[in-house]
Amino acid sequence: MTTATTPLSPESGRSHLQDSLFAWLTPEPAPSPALEPPAPAAVTKTKTLRDSDPKGPPVPPVPEEKPDLSHVWVVAAEVEVTPKIARVADFRGSFKAVEGQRIDALEVYCKGCRRPYDEVRGTDCAAKIDNTHLIGGDQSKRAKRKVPVPPAHARIIPGGTINRRGIGAYVSGVSRPKR
């Protein structure tokens, strides 16, 4: 049996064995430009933005997709059910309504911003823009908490410090009842 082998040249070495494993680590080398004769100056034409491609009309720019800021409406409802369905609904958190059953809507509101339908109909959902309305507005503009003023006839007696951290708190009875 005869096998044909090709001798390794010093410029190729054994690096060809590792090329496929680590090709993603190094950028691909730029292809060497082919030697072409330079075109005459009279024939060369620069392409401007107004010139159309001979293959067809220019491609219009892709419009940016706008985010969906619409409300997701939900209804808080009152449904009369049998004791069996009530037990299933309490256990599972859901139940199947009977076909044709009338359901009384108590309130219609947006699932995201939790605002009533009448107040925000026709506007964008505030929860999809910014959720600051759920935490009481801008925190830097909120009024500070008021310190309660004691009654005129009250006398304030300073107490000792209470250790609420570490083993001392556990031993002294802060995190467990005293014995």
Side-chain angles (χ1 to χ4, degrees):
M1 178 165 92
T2 309
T3 57
T5 59
T6 58
L8 293 174
S9 63
E11 56 272 349
S12 67
R14 292 180 181 234
S15 67
H16 69 282
L17 298 175
Q18 299 293 323
D19 283 345
S20 62
L21 294 176
F22 300 104
W24 58 274
L25 287 176
T26 58
E28 295 183 16
S32 59
L35 297 174
E36 295 181 7
V43 178
T44 306
K45 179 183 175 186
T46 59
K47 195 171 192 179
T48 62
L49 293 175
R50 290 179 290 180
D51 293 342
S52 63
D53 193 18
K55 296 177 184 174
V59 179
V62 178
E64 295 181 19
E65 292 185 22
K66 295 182 180 177
D68 181 26
L69 299 176
S70 62
H71 292 277
V72 178
W73 301 112
V74 293
V75 177
E78 190 173 276
V79 182
E80 192 172 323
V81 293
T82 63
K84 180 182 177 183
I85 293 176
R87 185 175 64 243
V88 170
D90 184 49
F91 179 72
R92 290 194 178 147
S94 65
F95 67 95
K96 292 185 179 179
V98 181
E99 183 180 346
Q101 183 179 13
R102 184 160 180 86
I103 300 172
D104 298 327
L106 299 176
E107 186 181 6
V108 179
Y109 59 94
C110 176
K111 187 176 183 179
C113 64
R114 305 269 185 193
R115 291 185 175 164
Y117 178 79
D118 295 336
E119 290 181 12
V120 293
R121 175 184 52 223
T123 61
D124 292 336
C125 181
K128 293 182 179 177
I129 298 171
D130 189 13
N131 264 342
T132 54
H133 71 284
L134 292 176
I135 57 172
D138 187 8
Q139 298 294 310
S140 64
K141 296 178 183 173
R142 280 179 65 179
K144 301 296 179 191
R145 291 191 177 124
K146 297 176 183 174
V147 177
V149 178
H153 63 277
R155 193 171 65 175
I156 299 176
I157 302 170
T161 58
I162 300 172
N163 183 10
R164 290 188 166 87
R165 293 188 178 87
I167 191 71
Y170 179 77
V171 173
S172 67
V174 172
S175 61
R176 64 173 182 79
K178 289 185 178 182
R179 291 188 183 196

